[in-house]
Amino acid sequence: MGDPATLGTARAPLADGMIRVEIKEKRFGRLPVLSHVAFEVAPAETVAITGPSGIGKSTLLRIVAGIDKEFAGRVDTPARIAMVFQEPTLLPWRSARENLTLVHPGLTRAEADAALARVGLAEKAGDFPGQLSLGQQRRLALARAFAGRPELLILDEPFVSLDPETAETMIALTEALIKEARPATLFVTHSETEARRLATRILSLRGSPATLAPHAVPIKGVNP
Amino acid sequence: MTDSRVVTGISLAGLILFWWAAALLTADPTILPEPGALIAPFLRELASGDLLYHLGQTLVRVAWAFLLAMGLGLALGLAMGRSERLNRWLDPWLVVFLNLPALVLIVLCYLWIGLNETAAILAVTLNKVPNVTTVIREGARAVSPELDAMARVYRMSWWTRLTHVTLPQLAPFIAGAARSGVAVIWKIVLVVEFLGRSSGIGFKIHMYFQLFDVTMVLVYALSFIAIMLAVEWAILQPWERRVRRWRTA
Ligand SMILES: Nc1ncnc2c1ncn2[C@@H]1O[C@H](COP(=O)(O)OP(=O)(O)OP(=O)(O)O)[C@@H](O)[C@H]1O
Ligand SMILES: [Mg+2]
């Protein structure tokens, strides 16, 4: 719980489209989880966040996404944000198509069907999420994220608990969709290979409370 | 499905048989008439239009009280389930109202507001709101924080959130509150009519009670029970199946 006077500010409109994160501190009760985590993400840049389990990766993403506003510091993000959660987090009582059109009211039926077809769920538009396999549910969550043309895309371990083959399909699909839509992307992963494959830059969380490791390595030669 | 219907049928037939046997043993139709003896008076009341008129009056009161109690209880339960602060403030009120005997509320409403329709419907509504609130609050506490976060990230409008994210999660609780709601409300409506209205099934029962006419009391009571069972089977149960469709698909 942050002291109300130091609550984080989020989502100020940005002229240059840069995403700026400056978290001075985030604590749960008395336990500080994050301390001095500051970084920027440029438009169309893909940044991976790694670190051991329980270090605060999901916490960081929730702050950037604007879900958690109780922190000290500030976060500047664009208006259109999409997030793929650790679990698919779909509306189980609505069809696959409605899961897109309800979340994005601007989306027509045809556009929703096209988005479903793009992730290989053309046949499943009328099915409830409970009738889909976990891999299909994950792809639906991915379609939902991209259907809003996000300026910032946030992914929290979107490939965990899938068998290697399904995971590979998901990674390739995500890679292709990011190339098409080119949102600024922030994603959490445990896997070094995933990070190297998708990201232009890797940030590691270390220590307790967690801070960014000094060696924020650029890969693929792209710098913000 | 068909199996359970057969059992229901046989069980109800058994009840009528039991009644018939009891009537034979009593051997006094002014105390307990046998089932067949109700048919002629029932048809007479139906033909005169009396039965339908009073049934209609009672049903309108049931409908009003039901809608008001569900609406208020839903809003209150949601608010209290979502906000622990509000819950701490309002919970003692809820406990007081939950433990207030129906009769006390009815008498007080009549005394304060007068022997009129507003007082009657308000008395029934106030009797049911605390119950609906308690049930809905339970549901609102169980609302998924993950779906909440999703709705927030994607900036869903409050109306879409309410109708497509929150209410579907509450559906089993709403259905439960509605079913027990109807059952309790129509019983209280009869008491309210008995005590202070000049129309409705409760009023007729009061009238025939003063005339010691068991046959007519049974005619009116059973007609109304039949209607309420029909509402349960024809409206509430199909609706409940519909909102559960996604679970079984
Ligand atoms: N709502 C909460 N209340 C209290 N503590 C919390 C809460 N959420 C997370 N924590 C704590 O904060 C720390 C960071 O949690 P977080 O979920 O961000 O870890 P993570 O890096 O995403 O882990 P994983 O890789 O296992 O998903 C953990 O120690 C966790 O127990
Ligand atoms: Mg996590």
Side-chain angles (χ1 to χ4, degrees):
Chain A
M1 296 288 153
D3 164 352
T6 64
L7 280 194
T9 44
R11 290 183 167 170
L14 295 179
D16 56 359
M18 283 293 267
I19 289 138
R20 291 199 182 82
V21 178
E22 281 176 46
I23 298 166
K24 292 201 190 75
E25 188 181 61
K26 165 70 192 174
R27 42 171 77 229
F28 285 114
R30 323 197 90 189
L31 174 83
V33 176
L34 300 172
S35 164
H36 295 97
V37 175
F39 60 93
E40 295 184 346
V41 184
E45 193 189 12
T46 299
V47 173
I49 295 170
T50 60
S53 181
I55 189 114
K57 304 183 294 297
S58 296
T59 305
L60 172 59
L61 289 193
R62 289 171 62 86
I63 290 174
V64 177
I67 299 165
D68 188 346
K69 292 187 160 68
E70 293 186 335
F71 66 100
R74 69 176 280 137
V75 170
D76 295 331
T77 53
R80 289 200 306 278
I81 302 181
M83 184 154 179
V84 178
F85 298 85
Q86 241 167 319
E87 297 301 317
T89 320
L90 303 162
L91 302 174
W93 38 83
R94 295 291 182 260
S95 69
R97 184 191 293 119
E98 285 171 327
N99 263 280
L100 301 190
T101 54
L102 286 173
V103 172
H104 308 293
L107 211 63
T108 65
R109 196 186 152 104
E111 285 169 335
D113 285 349
L116 288 175
R118 183 67 190 79
V119 297
L121 294 176
E123 313 285 288
K124 305 281 182 190
D127 286 11
F128 290 115
Q131 295 169 284
L132 305 177
S133 71
L134 180 61
Q136 291 169 329
Q137 291 181 24
R138 285 266 165 78
R139 277 185 274 150
L140 180 53
L142 208 58
R144 176 177 66 189
F146 281 97
R149 301 175 193 289
E151 296 161 276
L152 170 60
L153 172 68
I154 298 173
L155 305 131
D156 194 351
E157 305 194 52
F159 315 122
V160 292
S161 52
L162 296 174
D163 60 82
E165 203 177 320
T166 319
E168 171 53 35
T169 325
M170 270 291 285
I171 296 172
L173 185 60
T174 309
E175 206 174 4
L177 284 168
I178 289 177
K179 279 221 177 75
E180 280 168 36
R182 302 183 55 75
T185 306
L186 193 58
F187 85 102
V188 159
T189 176
H190 273 123
S191 143
E192 191 79 6
T193 42
E194 265 171 31
R196 292 196 171 277
R197 179 157 163 201
L198 289 175
T200 44
R201 193 152 53 98
I202 299 174
L203 304 174
S204 313
L205 284 175
R206 292 277 178 277
S208 175
T211 51
L212 286 180
H215 54 280
V217 271
I219 51 176
K220 292 189 186 170
V222 186
N223 270 316
Chain B
M1 199 66 195
T2 35
D3 237 35
S4 76
R5 274 193 196 157
V6 171
V7 172
T8 309
I10 295 176
S11 153
L12 284 179
L15 186 63
I16 291 175
L17 208 68
F18 175 72
W19 170 5
W20 187 71
L24 270 189
L25 286 178
T26 327
D28 181 354
T30 59
I31 292 175
L32 185 60
E34 53 119 353
L38 296 186
I39 295 173
F42 169 77
L43 291 176
R44 204 173 54 234
E45 290 298 300
L46 196 65
S48 75
D50 251 23
L51 180 61
L52 289 182
Y53 169 73
H54 291 289
L55 261 180
Q57 291 286 306
T58 300
L59 280 180
V60 167
R61 289 184 190 120
V62 169
W64 268 110
F66 176 74
L67 288 179
L68 286 173
M70 287 302 290
L72 280 173
L74 194 59
L76 259 176
L78 251 179
M80 289 173 75
R82 305 304 302 262
S83 158
E84 197 36 52
R85 241 175 93 96
L86 191 67
N87 184 49
R88 273 204 299 275
W89 280 99
L90 288 186
D91 191 56
W93 290 42
L94 200 60
V95 175
V96 169
F97 273 86
L98 271 173
N99 288 294
L100 213 53
L103 194 61
V104 173
L105 262 175
I106 296 167
V107 169
L108 285 180
C109 277
Y110 276 149
L111 284 176
W112 286 336
I113 302 172
L115 283 174
N116 55 36
E117 207 58 30
T118 315
I121 289 174
L122 191 71
V124 183
T125 306
L126 286 182
N127 265 302
K128 191 55 202 169
V129 165
N131 246 301
V132 178
T133 305
T134 318
V135 174
I136 300 296
R137 180 177 62 183
E138 240 18 77
R141 281 181 178 152
V143 159
S144 147
E146 286 80 22
L147 285 178
D148 259 3
M150 188 278 291
R152 205 188 278 190
V153 171
Y154 288 105
R155 298 185 170 188
M156 293 169 76
S157 70
W158 76 268
W159 178 248
T160 315
R161 273 166 91 151
L162 182 69
T163 50
H164 298 286
V165 184
T166 310
L167 288 185
Q169 296 183 67
L170 294 183
F173 296 88
I174 297 173
R179 288 176 69 166
S180 75
V182 171
V184 171
I185 281 172
W186 74 260
K187 287 168 195 158
I188 302 177
V189 165
L190 292 200
V191 178
V192 166
E193 291 173 343
F194 193 101
L195 289 177
R197 297 278 67 213
S198 49
S199 66
I201 302 291
F203 161 73
K204 291 302 268 187
I205 290 177
H206 189 186
M207 195 179 106
Y208 289 118
F209 163 68
Q210 287 176 327
L211 300 173
F212 277 104
D213 190 338
V214 177
T215 307
M216 293 310 289
V217 167
L218 285 176
V219 164
Y220 272 89
L222 290 179
S223 308
F224 191 56
I225 291 172
I227 299 271
M228 293 325 290
L229 286 182
V231 167
E232 163 90 22
W233 282 330
I235 301 176
L236 287 178
Q237 286 188 3
W239 174 71
E240 214 179 331
R241 269 199 299 279
R242 216 181 78 88
V243 299
R244 283 175 194 278
R245 194 166 50 101
W246 62 274
R247 287 179 200 276
T248 47

